[in-house]
Amino acid sequence: MSRYDVEQVKQRNPIEEVISRHGIVLLRHGSRMSGLCPFHKDTHPSLVVYPQTRSFFCFACGASGDVIDFVRRLDGLGFRAAIERLNDAPLPAQDVQRDGDYLVKVAAAVPRRELSLDDCMILTAASAVYHNLLWQTPEALSYLLSRGIGEVAIRRCRLGYSDGHALRRYLQRHRLSLRRAREMGLLWKDGGERMARRIVVPELRGDQCIWMTGRVMNDHTEPKYRGLSLPKPLLGYERVRGRQRVYLTEGTLDYVTAVGWNLSVCALQGNKVRPERLSFLERARRVFLVFDNDERGREATAFLLNLLGARAVSVGLPPGIKDLNLLGQSPDGRETFFRLVREAEAREEVEHALPAP
Ligand SMILES: [Zn+2]
């Protein structure tokens, strides 16, 4: 085997992807990535991966090398066998399988101050495990489809599903702290998963998960949503931060629906509005309010119209349609919504162009 062939093997098998395929969650920090080292009892991410130089190094046990060394060591193979295994490995798939990887590309995103690096790793791992499970759970996929939520929205929001036991096993296998997982509200005291049998909607910063909520698939079960025991963030913050046209919704599935339509949208996760939480709207020139078609939704809309002034536009939903998600379930929901937005905006412009009576 020539040196050229070896270089080709390395190029075809990006080290970060191969390591992720081995079930190790990697978090990105600038040009480096870090994760739990599989070569010693790692409890704190000591393994650093350098995609640019196609190499890895563990600060705790000193393990180091390239992608071939990694596979040799982890799978207990000789040089030639390791190369063969890499050559046999499936090329990065373009289909659903791609999302089965635990590769977590994290922009140099700032985790919330109250979350340690280990916390972020646990949450990001949970989100990856749940997302992977969702693709394998026809019942959950068909529930989402029945709510008008398809593949695009699932990928964009990295939606997930908890089967009730995969996360705990994953955390144990990778020696991530079950105690922290419990404290953050991922696990019950008895070790069961709090998101069990729920659709999981994570809040992402970069690709890092900082929070999540689980929704039941059967509306008769209470509570309908179960969040973590961490401060509830604005869902979709990064989609709207600094944007000029922003859509503000009430519910979690309204948000997911609008993300499927590629809107710069966020959800208050309720209809209570605290003015001090709206500073992210400073740059927004247009804020489309898409609240529920009920008394409390109208109250919240009136409050925000008053607070935001001429920048805010209320997008009323058609009679009988209680929220954006329900609109999204009808075949022409998307077209109807964009028409309503255009009409609401035109009305607003006419009103402000008219001289005062
Ligand atoms: Zn190590």
Side-chain angles (χ1 to χ4, degrees), residues 37-40 42 45-48 50 56-65:
C37 174
F39 303 120
H40 78 277
D42 202 1
S46 316
L47 180 77
V48 181
Y50 307 90
F56 72 93
F57 179 73
C58 173
F59 282 93
C61 71
S64 67

